[in-house]
Amino acid sequence: MPNLAGVFHREGPCVSLEPALARQAEVLSVQGLSFHRCQWTDGRFGAVNLLKPEIDDLDQPARLEGGPLMFLDGEIYDVAGLPPDSPPVAGGGGLLARCVELFARDPVAAARRLDGTFNLAFYDPSRRLLHLVSDRLGSRPLYYRDSGGTLCFALEQKAIFAVNGGAPRFDELGVLQLAMFGHQLGDRTIFDGISVLPPATILTASAGGVTLTGYWRAAYRCHHLTGRDAAAELAGRLVAATRRRSVGRRAPLGIFLSGGLDSRCVAGALAGAGAPVTAVTFGDESSRDVRFARQVSSRLGFAHHTYAHHGHSLAAALPRVVWRTEGTLAFPECLSINFHRHIRRDARLIFNGHLGDVLSGGHLLPELFWLRRRDLAGHILRKRSQISGERLRALCVPGSFDAQYHRLTSSIEDGLNRFDEDRTALLYNLWDLDVRQRRYTQSTPAVDRYVLEQVSPFVANDVVEFCLGLPIRELFGQRCYVRAILDAFPACADVPWARTGHAIERSHALRMLRLGGQAALRRGRRMLRIGIGEPVPWLPDDARGGALRAIAQGFVESDRFPDRVFDRSATQAVIDRHFDRGEGHLEEIGVLLTLATASRLLSGDLRAVPAEAQPDLSSTSPDASYWPARSGARFEPSRHASP
């Protein structure tokens, strides 16, 4: 669990940065866990990186003698042009020293050669020059604030607040985006002045100011490889990427496994790693994800553990989740924190299938192919919203909705305009990869990263480049991807797919007919309102409990409430309808609870992790500490060890 944070004074005299780094380290640490603290300071620049000994190497920062130095968050496992037998990097290593040399010569050229999931902080004390570098897909968010000649940066916003103190102000558009999408877009956060470093970007800070330079951009470049050759190439690249991330690791391996395609594809690639693997599935015993993931695990020889949310308390999880995710996501998306002390006994390095769907064409729906470019932003706003426009209108300050809705549409247009792509369907996919997947899917591991390190093999450069080179006919309906699973991973190929409840059809036409029929059935149910307003089956028991209502209502009545965005009386009415009448407004309530808790926990003089946000990682503590005393629930994970 690297946890990098630092401060750089662009202007003014040199000062002691030790107190600032100490505060950052305190709020980033976790009680009961051991960290290796890597730190360096020269009065102008200081950085600290907290590393987990069982996951990360410990030789940071890498430094040229008397010259530039570099801190690494994440992992670099290849540098183009270096000999193939160069030592790998996982939090440090000899290759990191080579990266320092490359960046000292030409930072843009060096960044283009790197393959991995990482953030880098490169500092040259002789020139008083700082470079912050994100990987190609921005897969590990790095936050920064430039104010008064001082640049603060960190993997978690709380480390920036610990340096500056005070109560952070809400960013109105960031709050709107959280309400509409469940996450932010572009480089925004819910806090004014805090930005996210864009993907494939070098932030350069010097006495002259701060600049951002892009060094790569996703684009479709067709290589015309099709059929079984394309499927075999894709499977081979994914297997190689998975092996690079798994072979020789000291930490026990695991995988978040569902009944879908993406995680089973990674599971198939992981099966040959030569190490024990524990699969983890969240859900009830009756769910398709649990049943089908168990079958995949059995076929591949994985131990399989399932965890259900029944008996848990959302009120207890709320501060723990928000402390780690900091309002980047609506907190009900990140409830895996309830099970960390159980999962970490069996797995510390957790593989996932993130980005498999978008890279393989899983989001290329038919309507995108006849949609006009000028209508795409509106389509995204409707398609990717967690609440409808009318529900948002009901929350907004009277008379402001049209302006607010226009701001949301413009923020989507800004993301679309980054790409030079005329084909609407592929433009949507690029936006999905660059914006939604980065700010949503790849932000969810923040809740796990303090104790578990998530690994996403699909973000490897060669996998991404190959998928961006597939012709549309191989992307539509995930033709190439499904064939790769069927041909390369036959052990789990005939296990039913959770999306359909049936084995994956080898015929592309039959598969598309089945998916189309099920989509039509879902649309019909929505039109007839069948199932609308029913309880969500995975929710913990107190989703409508009094403790949550008190938090939401107290926030509406407080001076922290964003009353330039939301109307207080309208918001109170939504709270009443959710808790008194049982109407389904969990999305709005989740946003309110996230905002309330983030503004409270991240305000004031941050010196340590609040007690309520400390996770319980003790292997001997009673399970009841996670659930209301009245429930009497006991936690019994289902353990199915494969033969």
Side-chain angles (χ1 to χ4, degrees):
M1 178 224 123
N3 216 329
L4 178 64
V7 182
F8 175 52
H9 288 304
R10 297 192 292 107
E11 304 170 1
C14 294
V15 296
S16 173
L17 294 174
E18 296 287 345
L21 298 181
R23 288 195 296 272
Q24 290 182 320
E26 272 307 301
V27 301
L28 294 175
S29 62
V30 179
Q31 185 178 345
L33 295 183
S34 60
F35 298 97
H36 185 91
R37 176 171 169 168
C38 303
Q39 182 174 315
W40 191 90
T41 179
D42 72 347
R44 179 75 61 179
F45 165 81
V48 60
N49 204 0
L50 303 181
L51 305 180
K52 289 289 294 170
E54 72 271 25
I55 296 178
D56 308 298
D57 292 339
L58 305 178
D59 51 349
Q60 291 203 46
R63 187 179 187 188
L64 300 181
E65 185 171 350
L69 57 91
M70 179 176 285
F71 282 91
L72 167 66
D73 153 53
E75 183 179 16
I76 298 172
Y77 47 81
D78 192 21
V79 179
L82 290 185
D85 58 348
S86 296
V89 176
L95 192 54
L96 188 58
R98 297 292 301 274
C99 290
V100 182
E101 298 175 5
L102 294 174
F103 272 85
R105 299 173 194 162
D106 186 341
V108 173
R112 289 173 178 158
R113 297 172 63 179
L114 302 185
D115 189 4
T117 55
F118 59 84
N119 290 298
L120 295 172
F122 171 91
Y123 178 62
D124 187 339
S126 65
R127 295 190 292 164
R128 294 182 179 176
L129 182 70
L130 172 67
H131 296 307
L132 301 179
V133 188
S134 58
D135 66 43
R136 288 189 177 190
L137 299 180
S139 55
R140 301 170 70 91
L142 182 68
Y143 303 96
Y144 68 94
R145 175 163 68 185
D146 182 38
S147 177
T150 297
L151 176 75
C152 295
F153 63 92
L155 300 182
E156 300 181 28
Q157 299 170 77
K158 63 180 70 72
I160 298 175
F161 297 138
V163 173
N164 294 275
R169 297 180 302 170
F170 281 130
D171 178 275
E172 294 179 12
L173 184 53
V175 168
L176 270 172
Q177 291 172 348
L178 179 67
M180 199 67 173
F181 301 102
H183 59 88
Q184 287 87 51
L185 309 181
D187 63 351
R188 287 191 179 271
T189 67
I190 62 168
F191 296 114
D192 184 47
I194 302 291
S195 299
V196 181
L197 189 63
T201 296
I202 302 174
L203 181 153
T204 302
S206 65
V210 172
T211 60
L212 298 178
T213 304
Y215 64 84
W216 181 85
R217 183 165 297 172
Y220 281 97
R221 305 177 182 88
C222 185
H223 52 53
H224 299 296
L225 194 62
T226 61
R228 292 192 178 277
D229 291 339
E233 181 68 20
L234 175 57
R237 293 189 182 207
L238 182 63
V239 168
T242 305
R243 301 284 169 82
R244 284 197 299 265
R245 312 296 296 276
S246 58
V247 174
R249 303 305 290 263
R250 292 175 295 172
L253 306 182
I255 183 170
F256 283 156
L257 185 63
S258 70
L261 295 183
D262 304 325
S263 59
R264 84 170 60 189
C265 185
V266 174
L270 189 60
V277 178
T278 298
V280 174
T281 307
F282 302 104
D284 297 320
E285 289 295 313
S286 60
S287 73
R288 286 179 174 180
D289 276 329
V290 169
R291 289 188 286 118
F292 301 154
R294 181 174 299 149
Q295 293 183 44
V296 171
S297 298
S298 179
R299 299 283 185 88
L300 298 178
F302 296 170
H304 183 234
H305 299 179
T306 64
Y307 300 96
H309 292 287
H310 294 308
H312 286 231
S313 166
L314 274 180
L318 175 61
R320 294 173 176 140
V321 171
V322 174
W323 178 256
R324 308 253 67 108
T325 58
E326 306 172 315
T328 56
L329 301 154
F331 91 98
E333 302 286 344
C334 301
L335 296 181
S336 61
I337 199 169
N338 284 331
F339 308 110
H340 284 170
R341 65 190 179 91
H342 303 286
I343 296 172
R344 71 189 295 265
R345 292 195 298 241
D346 303 298
R348 303 290 175 88
L349 206 65
I350 307 288
F351 285 74
N352 61 52
H354 291 174
L355 302 191
D357 51 358
V358 63
L359 285 173
S360 64
H363 298 170
L364 293 178
L365 300 179
E367 58 261 33
L368 289 169
F369 289 89
W370 55 76
L371 191 71
R372 293 175 298 184
R373 165 64 178 82
R374 65 186 183 189
D375 299 325
L376 182 55
H379 171 84
I380 291 173
L381 188 52
R382 293 188 300 272
K383 183 70 177 179
R384 289 305 182 188
S385 299
Q386 67 171 4
I387 63 174
S388 66
E390 290 308 306
R391 285 168 64 184
L392 183 63
R393 181 190 295 274
L395 282 177
C396 285
V397 174
S400 70
F401 174 76
D402 291 338
Q404 306 282 38
Y405 205 76
H406 176 72
R407 295 182 72 192
L408 288 171
T409 306
S410 296
S411 63
I412 296 173
E413 282 285 0
D414 291 343
L416 293 171
N417 290 337
R418 280 175 46 85
F419 301 102
D420 182 18
E421 176 58 68
D422 297 327
R423 294 162 291 184
T424 304
L426 296 184
L427 177 60
Y428 169 80
N429 230 36
L430 291 174
W431 177 90
D432 193 353
L433 179 65
D434 182 74
V435 178
R436 182 173 178 269
Q437 299 296 325
R438 177 172 62 93
R439 298 307 312 276
Y440 173 57
T441 303
Q442 296 190 92
S443 291
T444 56
V447 77
D448 305 304
R449 193 163 283 141
Y450 72 101
V451 62
L452 308 172
E453 184 61 37
Q454 286 207 45
V455 177
S456 306
F458 279 103
V459 306
N461 287 358
D462 60 342
V463 175
V464 173
E465 289 171 353
F466 182 79
C467 291
L468 292 177
L470 286 170
I472 291 181
R473 69 182 301 269
E474 293 292 336
L475 291 170
F476 182 63
Q478 300 177 282
R479 181 195 294 263
C480 177
Y481 185 48
V482 172
R483 185 183 288 120
I485 295 173
L486 293 172
D487 292 349
F489 311 119
C492 56
D494 61 345
V495 174
W497 182 11
R499 185 173 175 184
T500 65
H502 298 274
I504 306 170
E505 293 87 351
R506 286 192 171 269
S507 167
H508 181 67
L510 288 177
R511 188 169 63 251
M512 296 305 295
L513 282 173
R514 185 185 293 277
L515 292 173
Q518 291 189 335
L521 180 61
R522 287 193 297 270
R523 283 195 296 268
R525 285 172 58 89
R526 285 197 297 269
M527 291 176 64
L528 296 173
R529 302 190 65 80
I530 298 175
I532 301 299
E534 294 178 355
V536 181
W538 56 264
L539 281 178
D541 293 349
D542 67 339
R544 292 188 170 88
L548 293 180
R549 177 174 188 157
I551 296 171
Q553 191 158 331
F555 179 58
V556 173
E557 298 169 356
S558 74
D559 58 3
R560 297 190 300 270
F561 183 76
D563 52 10
R564 296 184 60 182
V565 180
F566 301 137
D567 180 71
R568 290 180 189 265
S569 60
T571 305
Q572 182 63 56
V574 169
I575 294 172
D576 293 340
R577 289 197 298 271
H578 178 81
F579 289 101
D580 292 341
R581 304 180 201 172
E583 296 182 12
H585 291 280
L586 180 66
E587 292 84 2
E588 292 96 321
I589 299 300
V591 168
L592 289 174
L593 295 172
T594 300
L595 294 173
T597 308
S599 63
R600 179 174 60 84
L601 292 180
L602 301 178
S603 296
D605 188 17
L606 294 180
R607 297 283 177 169
V609 183
E612 62 185 307
Q614 283 281 6
D616 181 5
L617 297 175
S618 169
S619 60
T620 59
S621 60
D623 292 319
S625 64
Y626 272 128
W627 298 288
R630 61 173 176 79
S631 72
R634 297 296 297 171
F635 175 75
E636 294 293 339
S638 171
R639 297 175 182 267
H640 299 268
S642 303

